[in-house]
Amino acid sequence: MKLTTKGRYAVTAMLDLALHANDKPISLADISARQDISLSYLEQLFSKLRRQGLVDSVRGPGGGYRLSRECGDIHVAAVIDAVNESVDATGCQGANGCQGGETCLTHHLWSDLSEQIHGFLTSITLADLVARRDVQRVALSQVQRSAEPSPLHFVS
Amino acid sequence: MKLTTKGRYAVTAMLDLALHANDKPISLADISARQDISLSYLEQLFSKLRRQGLVDSVRGPGGGYRLSRECGDIHVAAVIDAVNESVDATGCQGANGCQGGETCLTHHLWSDLSEQIHGFLTSITLADLVARRDVQRVALSQVQRSAEPSPLHFVS
DNA sequence: TAAAGTCCGAGTAATTTAGTCAAGTATTAG
DNA sequence: CTAATACTTGACTAAATTACTCGGACTTTA
């Protein structure tokens, strides 16, 4: 489990996707403009998100991406893991003198700690984030142009 | 809140300190040998840990470091924050068009998320980690030379 | 006074992050 | 059919961070 700005970009982009979910897919150019993330960087991220089955892509004009499932079924941990790819535990891979040695102290401790954080982030879904009031307030300014009524209902 | 191998090194070193806590301070050379972390890198990390008041140093021969407080009073979050230093929130600092704009979506979301993770790691102390059975088993081989009885009691 | 240790700063290789560029391929509007 | 749109892929690059080295201080104990 790694927690860097890369994962933050991915979560932000996925949240943008969840907020603007209509019938139409969302183009990366739209997300790039709204969230101020470089288009090419988004391409890299979504390439991984698609390979992990978190989003579906629609090619051609009017195409773009949409969430593969309901946002309540997409966990934050899955998004972060998707873009961080290297899921190879914590460095020591059994081989070099790790058995009962000093390195395992690190290994067990950290893998357990990051497992707990992972579990924590697994308990949060995109739907939970959408439901947050702060997000909704900001999102209001972003959907003001939207023709169809937003799926959000703003809790006071 | 950032979660990288740097913080892992720091937590590991602090845990080593907690496990080998006698009356004598522990030298970085010992930690370097036991945990296989470069001595000079440890010096950098402990320089920050000392400036944050997490450890006390004793100079001269026979010197070294010891925890500044009981390990039950040292939170994992504090250790990680100490070595990561830049606690400047999440990039956007109010100034450039952040007011109600698009960037704030990222800002609020992520700062809240990392605040929750921070809270989670604050709830874990070095004492909690020491108490873990996995750690104790591995630690056994490391304290076998210790003259005095280890403060650990091994739960079956 | 000599050895063992902490301190401190500069410098550096490797890795990761973030981004660019350039070419593809697929699809739909017209 | 054609052209515009947009995804897809890969290689490449600049900047930042990580991990580490080196050389030299300073401090204290034996």
Side-chain angles (χ1 to χ4, degrees), chain A residues 51-88:
Chain A
R51 254 172 284 173
Q52 296 295 320
L54 292 174
V55 294
D56 292 328
S57 67
V58 179
R59 305 179 74 153
Y65 290 92
R66 57 165 63 101
L67 299 179
S68 65
R69 316 162 221 158
E70 300 247 316
C71 49
D73 290 332
I74 298 183
H75 307 284
V76 173
V79 176
I80 295 176
D81 283 341
V83 297
N84 281 347
E85 62 195 298
S86 77
V87 203
D88 63 341

PDB file of all heavy atoms in Angstrom, chain A residues 51-88:
ATOM      1  N   ARG A  51      -7.439  -1.664 -17.459  1.00  0.00           N
ATOM      2  CA  ARG A  51      -6.909  -3.016 -17.388  1.00  0.00           C
ATOM      3  C   ARG A  51      -7.334  -3.720 -16.098  1.00  0.00           C
ATOM      4  O   ARG A  51      -7.432  -4.932 -16.043  1.00  0.00           O
ATOM      5  CB  ARG A  51      -5.379  -2.984 -17.502  1.00  0.00           C
ATOM      6  CG  ARG A  51      -4.884  -3.471 -18.859  1.00  0.00           C
ATOM      7  CD  ARG A  51      -3.384  -3.252 -19.006  1.00  0.00           C
ATOM      8  NE  ARG A  51      -3.061  -1.844 -19.268  1.00  0.00           N
ATOM      9  CZ  ARG A  51      -1.822  -1.370 -19.303  1.00  0.00           C
ATOM     10  NH1 ARG A  51      -0.803  -2.170 -19.102  1.00  0.00           N
ATOM     11  NH2 ARG A  51      -1.605  -0.093 -19.564  1.00  0.00           N
ATOM     12  N   GLN A  52      -7.565  -2.923 -15.049  1.00  0.00           N
ATOM     13  CA  GLN A  52      -8.010  -3.506 -13.786  1.00  0.00           C
ATOM     14  C   GLN A  52      -9.532  -3.645 -13.731  1.00  0.00           C
ATOM     15  O   GLN A  52     -10.079  -4.053 -12.710  1.00  0.00           O
ATOM     16  CB  GLN A  52      -7.541  -2.635 -12.609  1.00  0.00           C
ATOM     17  CG  GLN A  52      -6.033  -2.564 -12.456  1.00  0.00           C
ATOM     18  CD  GLN A  52      -5.433  -3.911 -12.098  1.00  0.00           C
ATOM     19  OE1 GLN A  52      -5.983  -4.652 -11.305  1.00  0.00           O
ATOM     20  NE2 GLN A  52      -4.294  -4.244 -12.703  1.00  0.00           N
ATOM     21  N   GLY A  53     -10.182  -3.245 -14.826  1.00  0.00           N
ATOM     22  CA  GLY A  53     -11.624  -3.429 -14.899  1.00  0.00           C
ATOM     23  C   GLY A  53     -12.438  -2.448 -14.082  1.00  0.00           C
ATOM     24  O   GLY A  53     -13.587  -2.710 -13.766  1.00  0.00           O
ATOM     25  N   LEU A  54     -11.831  -1.314 -13.743  1.00  0.00           N
ATOM     26  CA  LEU A  54     -12.567  -0.329 -12.952  1.00  0.00           C
ATOM     27  C   LEU A  54     -13.397   0.600 -13.830  1.00  0.00           C
ATOM     28  O   LEU A  54     -14.389   1.158 -13.382  1.00  0.00           O
ATOM     29  CB  LEU A  54     -11.586   0.495 -12.103  1.00  0.00           C
ATOM     30  CG  LEU A  54     -10.890  -0.284 -10.982  1.00  0.00           C
ATOM     31  CD1 LEU A  54      -9.834   0.561 -10.302  1.00  0.00           C
ATOM     32  CD2 LEU A  54     -11.923  -0.756  -9.965  1.00  0.00           C
ATOM     33  N   VAL A  55     -12.966   0.786 -15.088  1.00  0.00           N
ATOM     34  CA  VAL A  55     -13.730   1.626 -16.014  1.00  0.00           C
ATOM     35  C   VAL A  55     -13.905   0.894 -17.349  1.00  0.00           C
ATOM     36  O   VAL A  55     -13.124   0.006 -17.686  1.00  0.00           O
ATOM     37  CB  VAL A  55     -13.010   2.976 -16.280  1.00  0.00           C
ATOM     38  CG1 VAL A  55     -12.950   3.821 -15.017  1.00  0.00           C
ATOM     39  CG2 VAL A  55     -11.631   2.753 -16.851  1.00  0.00           C
ATOM     40  N   ASP A  56     -14.957   1.295 -18.073  1.00  0.00           N
ATOM     41  CA  ASP A  56     -15.163   0.802 -19.426  1.00  0.00           C
ATOM     42  C   ASP A  56     -14.901   1.949 -20.385  1.00  0.00           C
ATOM     43  O   ASP A  56     -15.195   3.102 -20.068  1.00  0.00           O
ATOM     44  CB  ASP A  56     -16.592   0.296 -19.607  1.00  0.00           C
ATOM     45  CG  ASP A  56     -16.852  -0.958 -18.780  1.00  0.00           C
ATOM     46  OD1 ASP A  56     -15.899  -1.739 -18.600  1.00  0.00           O
ATOM     47  OD2 ASP A  56     -17.991  -1.130 -18.309  1.00  0.00           O
ATOM     48  N   SER A  57     -14.355   1.636 -21.544  1.00  0.00           N
ATOM     49  CA  SER A  57     -14.067   2.688 -22.515  1.00  0.00           C
ATOM     50  C   SER A  57     -14.967   2.566 -23.727  1.00  0.00           C
ATOM     51  O   SER A  57     -15.381   1.471 -24.109  1.00  0.00           O
ATOM     52  CB  SER A  57     -12.598   2.615 -22.948  1.00  0.00           C
ATOM     53  OG  SER A  57     -12.363   1.430 -23.668  1.00  0.00           O
ATOM     54  N   VAL A  58     -15.294   3.717 -24.289  1.00  0.00           N
ATOM     55  CA  VAL A  58     -16.075   3.765 -25.526  1.00  0.00           C
ATOM     56  C   VAL A  58     -15.273   4.570 -26.531  1.00  0.00           C
ATOM     57  O   VAL A  58     -14.929   5.723 -26.255  1.00  0.00           O
ATOM     58  CB  VAL A  58     -17.446   4.438 -25.294  1.00  0.00           C
ATOM     59  CG1 VAL A  58     -18.224   4.485 -26.593  1.00  0.00           C
ATOM     60  CG2 VAL A  58     -18.228   3.703 -24.214  1.00  0.00           C
ATOM     61  N   ARG A  59     -14.943   3.980 -27.641  1.00  0.00           N
ATOM     62  CA  ARG A  59     -14.084   4.656 -28.614  1.00  0.00           C
ATOM     63  C   ARG A  59     -14.911   5.456 -29.607  1.00  0.00           C
ATOM     64  O   ARG A  59     -16.130   5.359 -29.646  1.00  0.00           O
ATOM     65  CB  ARG A  59     -13.221   3.629 -29.338  1.00  0.00           C
ATOM     66  CG  ARG A  59     -12.422   2.792 -28.365  1.00  0.00           C
ATOM     67  CD  ARG A  59     -11.586   1.776 -29.072  1.00  0.00           C
ATOM     68  NE  ARG A  59     -10.435   2.397 -29.720  1.00  0.00           N
ATOM     69  CZ  ARG A  59      -9.305   1.761 -29.965  1.00  0.00           C
ATOM     70  NH1 ARG A  59      -9.177   0.503 -29.630  1.00  0.00           N
ATOM     71  NH2 ARG A  59      -8.315   2.369 -30.559  1.00  0.00           N
ATOM     72  N   GLY A  60     -14.174   6.236 -30.373  1.00  0.00           N
ATOM     73  CA  GLY A  60     -14.825   7.035 -31.405  1.00  0.00           C
ATOM     74  C   GLY A  60     -15.385   8.328 -30.858  1.00  0.00           C
ATOM     75  O   GLY A  60     -15.330   8.581 -29.657  1.00  0.00           O
ATOM     76  N   PRO A  61     -15.932   9.160 -31.748  1.00  0.00           N
ATOM     77  CA  PRO A  61     -16.493  10.455 -31.354  1.00  0.00           C
ATOM     78  C   PRO A  61     -17.638  10.247 -30.361  1.00  0.00           C
ATOM     79  O   PRO A  61     -18.426   9.316 -30.519  1.00  0.00           O
ATOM     80  CB  PRO A  61     -17.020  11.037 -32.665  1.00  0.00           C
ATOM     81  CG  PRO A  61     -16.477  10.190 -33.732  1.00  0.00           C
ATOM     82  CD  PRO A  61     -15.973   8.930 -33.170  1.00  0.00           C
ATOM     83  N   GLY A  62     -17.707  11.109 -29.384  1.00  0.00           N
ATOM     84  CA  GLY A  62     -18.720  10.949 -28.344  1.00  0.00           C
ATOM     85  C   GLY A  62     -18.348   9.878 -27.343  1.00  0.00           C
ATOM     86  O   GLY A  62     -19.104   9.583 -26.431  1.00  0.00           O
ATOM     87  N   GLY A  63     -17.153   9.305 -27.540  1.00  0.00           N
ATOM     88  CA  GLY A  63     -16.719   8.240 -26.642  1.00  0.00           C
ATOM     89  C   GLY A  63     -16.116   8.785 -25.365  1.00  0.00           C
ATOM     90  O   GLY A  63     -16.201   9.981 -25.078  1.00  0.00           O
ATOM     91  N   GLY A  64     -15.487   7.899 -24.615  1.00  0.00           N
ATOM     92  CA  GLY A  64     -14.887   8.287 -23.353  1.00  0.00           C
ATOM     93  C   GLY A  64     -14.890   7.119 -22.388  1.00  0.00           C
ATOM     94  O   GLY A  64     -14.857   5.968 -22.818  1.00  0.00           O
ATOM     95  N   TYR A  65     -14.952   7.461 -21.118  1.00  0.00           N
ATOM     96  CA  TYR A  65     -14.935   6.402 -20.099  1.00  0.00           C
ATOM     97  C   TYR A  65     -16.170   6.512 -19.218  1.00  0.00           C
ATOM     98  O   TYR A  65     -16.725   7.593 -19.034  1.00  0.00           O
ATOM     99  CB  TYR A  65     -13.679   6.529 -19.227  1.00  0.00           C
ATOM    100  CG  TYR A  65     -12.399   6.174 -19.937  1.00  0.00           C
ATOM    101  CD1 TYR A  65     -11.648   7.146 -20.593  1.00  0.00           C
ATOM    102  CD2 TYR A  65     -11.927   4.866 -19.936  1.00  0.00           C
ATOM    103  CE1 TYR A  65     -10.462   6.813 -21.230  1.00  0.00           C
ATOM    104  CE2 TYR A  65     -10.746   4.524 -20.569  1.00  0.00           C
ATOM    105  CZ  TYR A  65     -10.014   5.506 -21.206  1.00  0.00           C
ATOM    106  OH  TYR A  65      -8.851   5.185 -21.842  1.00  0.00           O
ATOM    107  N   ARG A  66     -16.574   5.379 -18.692  1.00  0.00           N
ATOM    108  CA  ARG A  66     -17.571   5.373 -17.633  1.00  0.00           C
ATOM    109  C   ARG A  66     -17.183   4.297 -16.620  1.00  0.00           C
ATOM    110  O   ARG A  66     -16.421   3.394 -16.929  1.00  0.00           O
ATOM    111  CB  ARG A  66     -18.974   5.121 -18.196  1.00  0.00           C
ATOM    112  CG  ARG A  66     -19.138   3.845 -18.977  1.00  0.00           C
ATOM    113  CD  ARG A  66     -20.628   3.515 -19.160  1.00  0.00           C
ATOM    114  NE  ARG A  66     -21.329   4.531 -19.941  1.00  0.00           N
ATOM    115  CZ  ARG A  66     -21.629   4.401 -21.237  1.00  0.00           C
ATOM    116  NH1 ARG A  66     -21.262   3.311 -21.889  1.00  0.00           N
ATOM    117  NH2 ARG A  66     -22.289   5.336 -21.864  1.00  0.00           N
ATOM    118  N   LEU A  67     -17.704   4.460 -15.408  1.00  0.00           N
ATOM    119  CA  LEU A  67     -17.423   3.478 -14.367  1.00  0.00           C
ATOM    120  C   LEU A  67     -17.985   2.118 -14.783  1.00  0.00           C
ATOM    121  O   LEU A  67     -19.064   2.046 -15.362  1.00  0.00           O
ATOM    122  CB  LEU A  67     -18.046   3.918 -13.036  1.00  0.00           C
ATOM    123  CG  LEU A  67     -17.557   5.249 -12.463  1.00  0.00           C
ATOM    124  CD1 LEU A  67     -18.280   5.560 -11.164  1.00  0.00           C
ATOM    125  CD2 LEU A  67     -16.054   5.246 -12.255  1.00  0.00           C
ATOM    126  N   SER A  68     -17.261   1.069 -14.491  1.00  0.00           N
ATOM    127  CA  SER A  68     -17.695  -0.267 -14.892  1.00  0.00           C
ATOM    128  C   SER A  68     -18.810  -0.785 -13.980  1.00  0.00           C
ATOM    129  O   SER A  68     -19.572  -1.654 -14.371  1.00  0.00           O
ATOM    130  CB  SER A  68     -16.518  -1.237 -14.857  1.00  0.00           C
ATOM    131  OG  SER A  68     -16.044  -1.404 -13.524  1.00  0.00           O
ATOM    132  N   ARG A  69     -18.865  -0.225 -12.754  1.00  0.00           N
ATOM    133  CA  ARG A  69     -19.902  -0.645 -11.812  1.00  0.00           C
ATOM    134  C   ARG A  69     -20.500   0.596 -11.157  1.00  0.00           C
ATOM    135  O   ARG A  69     -20.092   1.704 -11.425  1.00  0.00           O
ATOM    136  CB  ARG A  69     -19.322  -1.525 -10.705  1.00  0.00           C
ATOM    137  CG  ARG A  69     -18.367  -2.575 -11.171  1.00  0.00           C
ATOM    138  CD  ARG A  69     -17.535  -3.093 -10.010  1.00  0.00           C
ATOM    139  NE  ARG A  69     -16.145  -3.276 -10.402  1.00  0.00           N
ATOM    140  CZ  ARG A  69     -15.132  -3.306  -9.547  1.00  0.00           C
ATOM    141  NH1 ARG A  69     -15.348  -3.144  -8.261  1.00  0.00           N
ATOM    142  NH2 ARG A  69     -13.894  -3.486  -9.975  1.00  0.00           N
ATOM    143  N   GLU A  70     -21.456   0.364 -10.280  1.00  0.00           N
ATOM    144  CA  GLU A  70     -22.002   1.438  -9.470  1.00  0.00           C
ATOM    145  C   GLU A  70     -20.892   2.003  -8.596  1.00  0.00           C
ATOM    146  O   GLU A  70     -19.990   1.257  -8.183  1.00  0.00           O
ATOM    147  CB  GLU A  70     -23.103   0.875  -8.559  1.00  0.00           C
ATOM    148  CG  GLU A  70     -24.260   0.231  -9.288  1.00  0.00           C
ATOM    149  CD  GLU A  70     -25.531   1.048  -9.085  1.00  0.00           C
ATOM    150  OE1 GLU A  70     -25.771   1.464  -7.938  1.00  0.00           O
ATOM    151  OE2 GLU A  70     -26.260   1.285 -10.075  1.00  0.00           O
ATOM    152  N   CYS A  71     -20.958   3.297  -8.322  1.00  0.00           N
ATOM    153  CA  CYS A  71     -19.866   3.881  -7.531  1.00  0.00           C
ATOM    154  C   CYS A  71     -19.855   3.339  -6.109  1.00  0.00           C
ATOM    155  O   CYS A  71     -18.830   3.412  -5.428  1.00  0.00           O
ATOM    156  CB  CYS A  71     -19.923   5.396  -7.557  1.00  0.00           C
ATOM    157  SG  CYS A  71     -21.509   6.121  -7.209  1.00  0.00           S
ATOM    158  N   GLY A  72     -20.958   2.744  -5.666  1.00  0.00           N
ATOM    159  CA  GLY A  72     -20.961   2.118  -4.355  1.00  0.00           C
ATOM    160  C   GLY A  72     -20.168   0.815  -4.321  1.00  0.00           C
ATOM    161  O   GLY A  72     -19.853   0.297  -3.258  1.00  0.00           O
ATOM    162  N   ASP A  73     -19.848   0.309  -5.505  1.00  0.00           N
ATOM    163  CA  ASP A  73     -19.097  -0.951  -5.568  1.00  0.00           C
ATOM    164  C   ASP A  73     -17.625  -0.739  -5.899  1.00  0.00           C
ATOM    165  O   ASP A  73     -16.879  -1.698  -6.111  1.00  0.00           O
ATOM    166  CB  ASP A  73     -19.721  -1.886  -6.621  1.00  0.00           C
ATOM    167  CG  ASP A  73     -21.080  -2.406  -6.171  1.00  0.00           C
ATOM    168  OD1 ASP A  73     -21.276  -2.500  -4.944  1.00  0.00           O
ATOM    169  OD2 ASP A  73     -21.919  -2.701  -7.037  1.00  0.00           O
ATOM    170  N   ILE A  74     -17.220   0.523  -5.995  1.00  0.00           N
ATOM    171  CA  ILE A  74     -15.815   0.804  -6.313  1.00  0.00           C
ATOM    172  C   ILE A  74     -15.120   1.365  -5.078  1.00  0.00           C
ATOM    173  O   ILE A  74     -15.449   2.458  -4.612  1.00  0.00           O
ATOM    174  CB  ILE A  74     -15.701   1.776  -7.498  1.00  0.00           C
ATOM    175  CG1 ILE A  74     -16.331   1.145  -8.740  1.00  0.00           C
ATOM    176  CG2 ILE A  74     -14.244   2.130  -7.752  1.00  0.00           C
ATOM    177  CD1 ILE A  74     -16.212   1.961  -9.982  1.00  0.00           C
ATOM    178  N   HIS A  75     -14.187   0.617  -4.565  1.00  0.00           N
ATOM    179  CA  HIS A  75     -13.493   1.002  -3.340  1.00  0.00           C
ATOM    180  C   HIS A  75     -12.279   1.871  -3.661  1.00  0.00           C
ATOM    181  O   HIS A  75     -11.607   1.665  -4.674  1.00  0.00           O
ATOM    182  CB  HIS A  75     -13.049  -0.237  -2.575  1.00  0.00           C
ATOM    183  CG  HIS A  75     -14.155  -1.207  -2.331  1.00  0.00           C
ATOM    184  ND1 HIS A  75     -15.115  -1.013  -1.375  1.00  0.00           N
ATOM    185  CD2 HIS A  75     -14.484  -2.365  -2.954  1.00  0.00           C
ATOM    186  CE1 HIS A  75     -15.977  -2.019  -1.395  1.00  0.00           C
ATOM    187  NE2 HIS A  75     -15.612  -2.849  -2.353  1.00  0.00           N
ATOM    188  N   VAL A  76     -12.020   2.816  -2.785  1.00  0.00           N
ATOM    189  CA  VAL A  76     -10.884   3.717  -2.961  1.00  0.00           C
ATOM    190  C   VAL A  76      -9.577   2.930  -3.051  1.00  0.00           C
ATOM    191  O   VAL A  76      -8.704   3.232  -3.863  1.00  0.00           O
ATOM    192  CB  VAL A  76     -10.827   4.734  -1.809  1.00  0.00           C
ATOM    193  CG1 VAL A  76      -9.558   5.560  -1.887  1.00  0.00           C
ATOM    194  CG2 VAL A  76     -12.043   5.640  -1.848  1.00  0.00           C
ATOM    195  N   ALA A  77      -9.467   1.890  -2.254  1.00  0.00           N
ATOM    196  CA  ALA A  77      -8.246   1.086  -2.248  1.00  0.00           C
ATOM    197  C   ALA A  77      -7.974   0.482  -3.624  1.00  0.00           C
ATOM    198  O   ALA A  77      -6.824   0.433  -4.080  1.00  0.00           O
ATOM    199  CB  ALA A  77      -8.355  -0.019  -1.201  1.00  0.00           C
ATOM    200  N   ALA A  78      -9.031   0.044  -4.293  1.00  0.00           N
ATOM    201  CA  ALA A  78      -8.874  -0.586  -5.601  1.00  0.00           C
ATOM    202  C   ALA A  78      -8.324   0.409  -6.620  1.00  0.00           C
ATOM    203  O   ALA A  78      -7.491   0.060  -7.467  1.00  0.00           O
ATOM    204  CB  ALA A  78     -10.210  -1.144  -6.084  1.00  0.00           C
ATOM    205  N   VAL A  79      -8.794   1.651  -6.526  1.00  0.00           N
ATOM    206  CA  VAL A  79      -8.338   2.690  -7.451  1.00  0.00           C
ATOM    207  C   VAL A  79      -6.851   2.970  -7.245  1.00  0.00           C
ATOM    208  O   VAL A  79      -6.061   3.038  -8.188  1.00  0.00           O
ATOM    209  CB  VAL A  79      -9.155   3.986  -7.254  1.00  0.00           C
ATOM    210  CG1 VAL A  79      -8.619   5.098  -8.128  1.00  0.00           C
ATOM    211  CG2 VAL A  79     -10.621   3.732  -7.539  1.00  0.00           C
ATOM    212  N   ILE A  80      -6.458   3.105  -5.988  1.00  0.00           N
ATOM    213  CA  ILE A  80      -5.069   3.401  -5.671  1.00  0.00           C
ATOM    214  C   ILE A  80      -4.154   2.247  -6.069  1.00  0.00           C
ATOM    215  O   ILE A  80      -3.092   2.439  -6.656  1.00  0.00           O
ATOM    216  CB  ILE A  80      -4.923   3.725  -4.171  1.00  0.00           C
ATOM    217  CG1 ILE A  80      -5.692   5.015  -3.847  1.00  0.00           C
ATOM    218  CG2 ILE A  80      -3.462   3.864  -3.781  1.00  0.00           C
ATOM    219  CD1 ILE A  80      -5.697   5.384  -2.382  1.00  0.00           C
ATOM    220  N   ASP A  81      -4.596   1.037  -5.779  1.00  0.00           N
ATOM    221  CA  ASP A  81      -3.800  -0.129  -6.141  1.00  0.00           C
ATOM    222  C   ASP A  81      -3.634  -0.244  -7.652  1.00  0.00           C
ATOM    223  O   ASP A  81      -2.591  -0.667  -8.139  1.00  0.00           O
ATOM    224  CB  ASP A  81      -4.455  -1.409  -5.601  1.00  0.00           C
ATOM    225  CG  ASP A  81      -4.204  -1.584  -4.112  1.00  0.00           C
ATOM    226  OD1 ASP A  81      -3.264  -0.952  -3.606  1.00  0.00           O
ATOM    227  OD2 ASP A  81      -4.939  -2.342  -3.468  1.00  0.00           O
ATOM    228  N   ALA A  82      -4.684   0.116  -8.371  1.00  0.00           N
ATOM    229  CA  ALA A  82      -4.656  -0.035  -9.827  1.00  0.00           C
ATOM    230  C   ALA A  82      -3.546   0.782 -10.462  1.00  0.00           C
ATOM    231  O   ALA A  82      -2.854   0.313 -11.366  1.00  0.00           O
ATOM    232  CB  ALA A  82      -6.007   0.362 -10.415  1.00  0.00           C
ATOM    233  N   VAL A  83      -3.342   1.984  -9.993  1.00  0.00           N
ATOM    234  CA  VAL A  83      -2.323   2.843 -10.616  1.00  0.00           C
ATOM    235  C   VAL A  83      -0.939   2.628 -10.023  1.00  0.00           C
ATOM    236  O   VAL A  83       0.060   3.026 -10.621  1.00  0.00           O
ATOM    237  CB  VAL A  83      -2.690   4.337 -10.511  1.00  0.00           C
ATOM    238  CG1 VAL A  83      -3.980   4.611 -11.265  1.00  0.00           C
ATOM    239  CG2 VAL A  83      -2.820   4.777  -9.068  1.00  0.00           C
ATOM    240  N   ASN A  84      -0.861   1.997  -8.874  1.00  0.00           N
ATOM    241  CA  ASN A  84       0.449   1.758  -8.256  1.00  0.00           C
ATOM    242  C   ASN A  84       1.055   0.427  -8.677  1.00  0.00           C
ATOM    243  O   ASN A  84       2.226   0.178  -8.405  1.00  0.00           O
ATOM    244  CB  ASN A  84       0.333   1.818  -6.732  1.00  0.00           C
ATOM    245  CG  ASN A  84       0.292   3.240  -6.226  1.00  0.00           C
ATOM    246  OD1 ASN A  84       0.591   4.167  -6.975  1.00  0.00           O
ATOM    247  ND2 ASN A  84      -0.084   3.433  -4.990  1.00  0.00           N
ATOM    248  N   GLU A  85       0.262  -0.382  -9.298  1.00  0.00           N
ATOM    249  CA  GLU A  85       0.629  -1.652  -9.901  1.00  0.00           C
ATOM    250  C   GLU A  85       1.496  -2.607  -9.077  1.00  0.00           C
ATOM    251  O   GLU A  85       1.088  -3.704  -8.791  1.00  0.00           O
ATOM    252  CB  GLU A  85       1.304  -1.437 -11.266  1.00  0.00           C
ATOM    253  CG  GLU A  85       2.601  -0.669 -11.226  1.00  0.00           C
ATOM    254  CD  GLU A  85       2.975  -0.192 -12.626  1.00  0.00           C
ATOM    255  OE1 GLU A  85       3.178  -1.040 -13.507  1.00  0.00           O
ATOM    256  OE2 GLU A  85       3.049   1.039 -12.832  1.00  0.00           O
ATOM    257  N   SER A  86       2.728  -2.214  -8.692  1.00  0.00           N
ATOM    258  CA  SER A  86       3.623  -3.179  -8.056  1.00  0.00           C
ATOM    259  C   SER A  86       3.068  -3.635  -6.712  1.00  0.00           C
ATOM    260  O   SER A  86       3.227  -2.987  -5.696  1.00  0.00           O
ATOM    261  CB  SER A  86       5.003  -2.579  -7.868  1.00  0.00           C
ATOM    262  OG  SER A  86       5.011  -1.702  -6.775  1.00  0.00           O
ATOM    263  N   VAL A  87       2.393  -4.776  -6.732  1.00  0.00           N
ATOM    264  CA  VAL A  87       1.749  -5.292  -5.521  1.00  0.00           C
ATOM    265  C   VAL A  87       2.658  -6.340  -4.874  1.00  0.00           C
ATOM    266  O   VAL A  87       2.209  -7.305  -4.308  1.00  0.00           O
ATOM    267  CB  VAL A  87       0.378  -5.908  -5.872  1.00  0.00           C
ATOM    268  CG1 VAL A  87      -0.519  -5.929  -4.637  1.00  0.00           C
ATOM    269  CG2 VAL A  87      -0.301  -5.150  -6.995  1.00  0.00           C
ATOM    270  N   ASP A  88       3.966  -6.151  -4.969  1.00  0.00           N
ATOM    271  CA  ASP A  88       4.911  -7.180  -4.534  1.00  0.00           C
ATOM    272  C   ASP A  88       5.271  -7.061  -3.057  1.00  0.00           C
ATOM    273  O   ASP A  88       6.430  -7.058  -2.686  1.00  0.00           O
ATOM    274  CB  ASP A  88       6.167  -7.136  -5.385  1.00  0.00           C
ATOM    275  CG  ASP A  88       6.894  -5.810  -5.219  1.00  0.00           C
ATOM    276  OD1 ASP A  88       6.255  -4.838  -4.760  1.00  0.00           O
ATOM    277  OD2 ASP A  88       8.095  -5.748  -5.514  1.00  0.00           O
TER     278      ASP A  88
END
